[in-house]
């Protein structure tokens, strides 16, 4: 919805990473691109008899486009899809621009609000500054508390990137204080050529951090909030279907429409190299079915066949699924590699499996040997 951001987070893979394609694109998405994108979504939903569409209004900072533009575009999409097709719209924001009026407009038009934060305390968000170096936390905290108090029905949750140097339980409990209905805990976008912070050398700092939060969440005696990574790991261990970009073998079915109308693969690939997400397609000349046939997108639909031999031989395959696609990249070797977080994921998955076993769950979990994967 908008190709620029009012913050300058020091670790941002989109603006601080190797891909610079954002510089040559319009800042705000032109009306013609929005019209054509809505038509393409409707075309795709009709062709496939789609019962529901997930529409994520992203950036940059999407609120820079204005809430009236966001709800107008969401309305266009709802008008274009066939009767009976639900459009689940969410705007993903840093919360600094949320006001009571903007929040009310979004809620009235059934656009839910997801918030990106690094934690629930000022020190957790020290890297999230504006372009003048001023902290974003006061405005972001105000926005997060506003939605929890004023429009909880529109609150989609909080997205947080894991930092293993923070105290995991303190960080989790600080986020709980913001009353999110759900949390997404994401590993930083790194790969074998550009390793994530704190991942050099032995040990599993990210896996250990996730295990500590899992234990705090698991032992609470009630579900204080949903944590997608944890719930989907549990589901996969129990042999149940689950869909996430970070775990499992389910086909990943999302594309991005950029501000100039380009159809691209998910923007996490931009953390790998310049142009990694590019397809050469756009909404004016190409359908989403054509995007699905693009080799880069098709590779995400083939499950285990697209994974490295080491992954295919691993006893954790059906749960791990090779990890996040962008985290497998190695320059000169592409994406047919284990995740750069392979050891961390093993630590986490085995830990969750042990907790399930100790709980005496009546379902039979997927067998997870205690030894190392090949």
């Amino acid at each position: 919805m908008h190709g620029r951001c009012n913050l300058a987070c020091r670790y941002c893979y989109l603006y601080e990473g190797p891909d610079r394609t954002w510089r040559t694109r319009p800042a705000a998405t032109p009306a013609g691109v929005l019209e054509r994108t809505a038509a393409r979504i409707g075309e795709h939903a009709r062709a496939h008899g789609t019962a529901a569409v997930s529409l994520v209004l992203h950036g940059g900072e999407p609120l820079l486009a204005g809430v009236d533009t966001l709800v107008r575009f969401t309305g266009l999409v709802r008008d274009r899809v066939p009767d009976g097709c639900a459009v689940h719209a969410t705007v993903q924001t840093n919360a600094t621009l949320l006001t009571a009026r903007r929040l009310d407009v979004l809620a009235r038009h059934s656009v839910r609000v997801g918030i990106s934060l690094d934690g629930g305390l000022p020190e957790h968000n020290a890297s999230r500054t504006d372009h003048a170096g001023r902290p974003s936390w006061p405005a972001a905290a105000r926005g997060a508390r506003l939605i929890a108090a004023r429009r909880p029905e529109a609150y989609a949750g909080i997205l947080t990137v894991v930092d293993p140097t923070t105290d995991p339980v303190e960080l989790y409990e600080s986020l709980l204080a913001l009353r999110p209905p759900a949390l997404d805990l994401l590993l930083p976008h790194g790969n074998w050529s550009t390793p994530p912070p704190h991942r050099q050398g032995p040990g599993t700092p990210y896996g250990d951090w996730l295990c500590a939060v899992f234990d705090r969440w698991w032992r609470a005696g009630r579900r204080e909030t949903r944590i997608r990574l944890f719930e989907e790991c549990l589901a996969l261990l129990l042999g149940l279907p689950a869909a996430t970009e970070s775990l499992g073998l389910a086909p990943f079915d999302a594309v991005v429409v950029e501000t100039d109308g380009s159809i691209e693969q998910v923007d996490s690939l931009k953390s790998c190299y310049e142009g990694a997400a590019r397809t050469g397609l756009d909404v004016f000349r190409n359908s989403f079915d054509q995007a699905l046939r693009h080799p880069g997108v098709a590779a995400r639909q083939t499950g285990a066949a697209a994974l490295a031999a080491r992954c295919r031989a691993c006893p954790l395959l059906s749960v791990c699924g090779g990890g996040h696609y962008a985290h497998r990249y190695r320059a000169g070797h592409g994406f047919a590699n284990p995740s750069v977080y392979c050891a961390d994921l093993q630590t986490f998955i085995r830990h969750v499996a042990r907790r399930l076993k100790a709980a005496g769950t009546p379902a039979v979990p997927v067998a997870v040997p205690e030894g190392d994967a090949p």
Side-chain angles (χ1 to χ4, degrees):
M1 297 302 300
H2 204 281
R4 304 294 185 268
C5 188
N6 61 325
L7 299 187
C9 302
R10 290 193 288 274
Y11 57 80
C12 181
Y13 71 89
L14 189 59
Y15 298 113
E16 301 297 328
D19 190 279
R20 291 289 184 267
T21 54
W22 61 272
R23 294 177 182 269
T24 60
R25 292 191 166 118
T29 305
V33 171
L34 297 177
E35 289 271 1
R36 194 60 179 156
T37 300
R40 288 296 190 190
I41 294 171
E43 171 189 71
H44 194 77
R46 286 192 301 274
H48 295 275
T50 306
V53 171
S54 177
L55 182 68
V56 183
L57 309 174
H58 221 289
E61 171 47 53
L63 289 179
L64 290 173
V67 290
D68 295 333
T69 297
L70 301 182
V71 299
R72 187 163 52 248
F73 173 63
T74 303
L76 280 175
V77 174
R78 288 177 173 145
D79 288 343
R80 300 296 189 273
V81 299
D83 292 342
C85 178
V87 176
H88 302 296
T90 305
V91 58
Q92 190 66 34
T93 173
N94 59 40
T96 60
L97 301 179
L98 276 179
T99 63
R101 184 255 170 190
R102 290 166 182 162
L103 185 53
D104 288 346
V105 171
L106 293 169
R108 282 199 305 271
H109 290 84
S110 299
V111 178
R112 302 181 74 213
V113 179
I115 294 173
S116 300
L117 290 172
D118 288 346
L121 297 173
E123 54 266 33
H124 297 150
N125 294 276
S127 294
R128 298 178 68 84
T129 62
D130 67 13
H131 292 272
R134 294 170 298 204
S136 68
W137 171 249
R142 185 166 54 249
R145 292 175 183 131
L146 178 68
I147 188 170
R150 186 180 182 92
R151 288 287 191 171
E153 76 282 5
Y155 198 176
I158 295 175
L159 181 155
T160 295
V161 177
V162 173
D163 178 355
T165 67
T166 59
D167 181 294
V169 173
E170 177 190 61
L171 188 137
Y172 170 63
E173 291 178 344
S174 72
L175 289 172
L176 281 182
L178 298 174
R179 293 185 282 165
L183 290 178
D184 265 342
L185 299 177
L186 305 182
L187 296 172
H189 290 317
N191 54 67
W192 293 104
S193 296
T194 308
H198 318 295
R199 191 61 198 86
Q200 296 83 357
T204 55
Y206 291 92
D208 297 342
W209 194 98
L210 289 171
C211 290
V213 178
F214 180 86
D215 284 346
R216 167 62 181 79
W217 177 79
W218 181 254
R219 293 169 177 160
R222 62 186 180 88
R223 189 166 72 178
E224 297 167 305
T225 187
R226 300 189 65 175
I227 300 183
R228 185 169 65 163
L229 180 68
F230 295 174
E231 293 185 354
E232 293 183 346
C233 183
L234 289 164
L236 290 162
L237 282 165
L238 295 169
L240 302 172
T244 173
E245 198 174 0
S246 300
L247 293 175
L249 290 167
F252 186 68
D253 51 357
V255 293
V256 174
V257 177
E258 287 285 358
T259 59
D260 61 356
S262 297
I263 300 173
E264 296 205 337
Q265 300 181 68
V266 290
D267 58 13
S268 57
L269 290 179
K270 295 179 181 181
S271 65
C272 299
Y273 59 89
E274 170 87 13
R278 187 180 292 126
T279 65
L281 309 177
D282 64 70
V283 293
F284 296 100
R285 298 175 299 126
N286 306 105
S287 68
F288 289 134
D289 272 346
Q290 287 175 288
L292 282 169
R293 293 193 292 270
H294 183 275
V297 178
R300 308 292 299 278
Q301 316 294 312
T302 54
L307 299 180
R310 176 179 164 188
C311 293
R312 295 197 300 272
C314 179
L316 304 185
L317 172 64
S318 63
V319 181
C320 173
H324 195 294
Y325 190 75
H327 301 166
R328 305 173 201 166
Y329 177 73
R330 187 191 295 271
H333 299 271
F335 296 90
N337 310 288
S339 169
V340 72
Y341 292 107
C342 178
D344 295 277
L345 292 171
Q346 286 192 52
T347 294
F348 170 66
I349 293 167
R350 294 177 193 280
H351 182 84
V352 175
R354 286 193 293 270
R355 293 291 178 265
L356 263 181
K357 184 178 180 180
T361 177
V364 180
V366 172
V368 178
E370 288 297 316
D372 291 337

